[in-house]
Protein backbone atom coordinates (compact mmCIF):
# COMPACT_ATOMS: atom_id res chain seq x y z
CA UNK A 1 0.00 0.00 0.00
CA UNK A 2 0.95 3.65 -0.17
CA UNK A 3 2.84 5.41 2.57
CA UNK A 4 0.53 7.66 4.59
CA UNK A 5 2.81 10.61 3.85
CA UNK A 6 1.63 10.85 0.30
CA UNK A 7 -1.52 10.17 -1.64
CA UNK A 8 -1.94 9.84 -5.34
CA UNK A 9 -4.10 12.55 -6.86
CA UNK A 10 -5.96 11.63 -9.99
CA UNK A 11 -4.75 13.87 -12.78
CA UNK A 12 -7.52 15.73 -14.54
CA UNK A 13 -6.90 17.31 -17.88
CA UNK A 14 -8.72 20.43 -18.83
CA UNK A 15 -9.47 22.37 -21.97
CA UNK A 16 -10.50 25.95 -22.19
CA UNK A 17 -12.24 27.99 -24.83
CA UNK A 18 -12.79 31.70 -25.23
CA UNK A 19 -16.31 32.60 -26.25
CA UNK A 20 -17.52 35.94 -27.58
CA UNK A 21 -21.02 37.25 -28.17
CA UNK A 22 -22.67 40.50 -29.21
CA UNK A 23 -25.24 39.95 -26.45
CA UNK A 24 -25.52 37.62 -23.44
CA UNK A 25 -27.89 35.50 -25.51
CA UNK A 26 -25.25 35.25 -28.25
CA UNK A 27 -22.59 34.42 -25.68
CA UNK A 28 -24.61 31.51 -24.24
CA UNK A 29 -25.52 30.18 -27.67
CA UNK A 30 -21.88 30.40 -28.80
CA UNK A 31 -20.72 28.70 -25.60
CA UNK A 32 -22.88 25.67 -26.40
CA UNK A 33 -21.47 25.62 -29.95
CA UNK A 34 -17.96 25.76 -28.49
CA UNK A 35 -18.71 22.83 -26.19
CA UNK A 36 -19.91 20.79 -29.18
CA UNK A 37 -16.85 21.76 -31.22
CA UNK A 38 -14.54 20.64 -28.40
CA UNK A 39 -16.41 17.33 -28.09
CA UNK A 40 -16.21 16.73 -31.81
CA UNK A 41 -19.98 16.34 -31.99
CA UNK A 42 -21.59 15.54 -35.29
CA UNK A 43 -25.38 15.83 -35.37
CA UNK A 44 -28.00 14.19 -37.53
CA UNK A 45 -29.67 17.36 -38.79
CA UNK A 46 -33.18 15.97 -38.77
CA UNK A 47 -34.84 17.42 -35.64
CA UNK A 48 -35.59 14.69 -33.11
CA UNK A 49 -37.56 16.74 -30.58
CA UNK A 50 -37.82 20.15 -29.03
CA UNK A 51 -37.76 21.40 -25.49
CA UNK A 52 -38.37 24.51 -23.44
CA UNK A 53 -35.61 25.27 -20.98
CA UNK A 54 -35.91 27.60 -17.99
CA UNK A 55 -33.01 28.16 -15.64
CA UNK A 56 -32.38 30.48 -12.74
CA UNK A 57 -29.13 31.07 -10.86
CA UNK A 58 -27.64 33.49 -8.35
CA UNK A 59 -25.33 35.09 -10.91
CA UNK A 60 -24.61 35.14 -14.62
CA UNK A 61 -21.62 32.77 -14.40
CA UNK A 62 -23.68 30.17 -12.53
CA UNK A 63 -26.40 30.56 -15.13
CA UNK A 64 -23.89 29.87 -17.90
CA UNK A 65 -22.58 26.78 -16.08
CA UNK A 66 -26.14 25.48 -15.59
CA UNK A 67 -26.87 26.01 -19.27
CA UNK A 68 -23.72 24.15 -20.34
CA UNK A 69 -24.37 21.37 -17.79
CA UNK A 70 -27.77 20.93 -19.42
CA UNK A 71 -26.00 20.54 -22.77
CA UNK A 72 -23.55 17.99 -21.28
CA UNK A 73 -26.34 16.03 -19.61
CA UNK A 74 -28.23 15.81 -22.89
CA UNK A 75 -25.08 14.71 -24.72
CA UNK A 76 -24.24 11.98 -22.24
CA UNK A 77 -27.62 10.75 -21.11
CA UNK A 78 -29.98 11.45 -24.00
CA UNK A 79 -27.48 11.27 -26.88
CA UNK A 80 -28.75 14.63 -28.13
CA UNK A 81 -27.24 17.92 -29.16
CA UNK A 82 -29.28 21.07 -29.46
CA UNK A 83 -29.58 24.29 -31.39
CA UNK A 84 -30.99 27.37 -29.68
CA UNK A 85 -33.33 29.23 -32.04
CA UNK A 86 -34.74 31.33 -29.20
CA UNK A 87 -33.08 32.44 -26.00
CA UNK A 88 -33.72 35.31 -23.63
CA UNK A 89 -31.79 36.25 -20.53
CA UNK A 90 -33.40 38.56 -18.01
CA UNK A 91 -31.40 39.21 -14.86
CA UNK A 92 -30.25 35.75 -13.74
CA UNK A 93 -33.06 33.91 -15.50
CA UNK A 94 -32.80 32.15 -18.81
CA UNK A 95 -35.58 30.96 -21.07
CA UNK A 96 -34.76 29.07 -24.24
CA UNK A 97 -36.39 26.98 -26.93
CA UNK A 98 -34.16 24.11 -27.93
CA UNK A 99 -34.32 21.95 -31.04
CA UNK A 100 -32.72 18.57 -30.33
CA UNK A 101 -30.79 16.40 -32.78
CA UNK A 102 -29.44 12.89 -32.41
CA UNK A 103 -25.69 12.53 -32.21
CA UNK A 104 -23.97 10.65 -35.01
CA UNK A 105 -20.49 11.01 -33.56
CA UNK A 106 -18.94 12.16 -30.30
CA UNK A 107 -15.13 12.20 -30.33
CA UNK A 108 -14.25 13.32 -26.82
CA UNK A 109 -16.07 13.17 -23.53
CA UNK A 110 -16.24 16.34 -21.49
CA UNK A 111 -16.76 15.45 -17.82
CA UNK A 112 -17.69 18.81 -16.35
CA UNK A 113 -17.93 22.55 -16.77
CA UNK A 114 -15.77 24.26 -14.14
CA UNK A 115 -15.84 27.64 -12.45
CA UNK A 116 -12.05 28.00 -12.88
CA UNK A 117 -11.37 31.61 -13.83
CA UNK A 118 -14.97 31.95 -15.02
CA UNK A 119 -15.90 35.59 -15.41
CA UNK A 120 -18.20 37.07 -18.03
CA UNK A 121 -16.63 40.34 -19.19
CA UNK A 122 -18.03 43.30 -21.06
CA UNK A 123 -16.08 44.05 -24.22
CA UNK A 124 -16.38 46.86 -26.79
CA UNK A 125 -18.21 44.34 -29.00
CA UNK A 126 -20.43 42.77 -26.35
CA UNK A 127 -19.36 40.01 -24.00
CA UNK A 128 -16.51 37.55 -23.60
CA UNK A 129 -15.78 34.60 -21.31
CA UNK A 130 -13.15 31.91 -20.87
CA UNK A 131 -14.62 28.52 -20.01
CA UNK A 132 -12.58 25.64 -18.58
CA UNK A 133 -13.86 22.08 -19.03
CA UNK A 134 -12.68 18.94 -17.22
CA UNK A 135 -12.07 16.15 -19.70
Amino acid sequence: GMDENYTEIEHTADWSIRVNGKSLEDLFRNASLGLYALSGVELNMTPASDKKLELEAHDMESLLVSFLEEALFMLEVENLGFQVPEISIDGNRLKASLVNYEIIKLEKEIKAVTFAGLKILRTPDGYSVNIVFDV
Side-chain angles (χ1 to χ4, degrees):
M2 283 214 169
D3 188 294
E4 64 187 22
N5 291 327
Y6 54 84
T7 313
E8 185 180 352
I9 298 170
E10 190 186 333
H11 174 74
T12 62
D14 58 36
W15 288 333
S16 56
I17 56 170
R18 181 180 199 97
V19 182
N20 299 305
K22 291 185 176 67
S23 63
L24 284 170
E25 286 83 0
D26 259 358
L27 188 74
F28 276 57
R29 185 183 275 122
N30 292 343
S32 64
L33 292 173
L35 181 152
Y36 294 148
L38 271 187
S39 305
V41 169
E42 204 178 304
L43 300 176
N44 169 353
M45 295 315 294
T46 306
S49 58
D50 51 52
K51 178 176 178 171
K52 292 268 187 271
L53 182 64
E54 294 196 23
L55 299 171
E56 193 167 353
H58 58 83
D59 60 34
M60 199 54 70
E61 284 77 15
S62 303
L63 194 63
L64 179 60
V65 169
S66 294
F67 178 68
L68 293 174
E69 281 176 343
E70 182 75 23
L72 275 186
F73 176 82
M74 286 174 66
L75 277 185
E76 289 166 18
V77 179
E78 299 174 20
N79 207 44
L80 295 171
F82 60 65
Q83 288 186 341
V84 193
E86 289 175 44
I87 179 169
S88 67
I89 295 167
D90 181 18
N92 297 326
R93 293 171 66 99
L94 174 151
K95 289 184 182 184
S97 298
L98 310 179
V99 180
N100 304 323
Y101 302 90
E102 284 171 15
I103 295 166
I104 299 169
K105 195 174 74 176
L106 181 60
E107 283 174 8
K108 307 185 185 90
E109 185 201 357
I110 292 175
K111 295 196 176 76
V113 189
T114 76
F115 280 94
L118 190 71
K119 185 87 184 93
I120 295 173
L121 302 172
R122 289 298 311 250
T123 68
D125 299 320
Y127 294 88
S128 175
V129 67
N130 287 347
I131 306 167
V132 178
F133 298 98
D134 271 344
V135 294

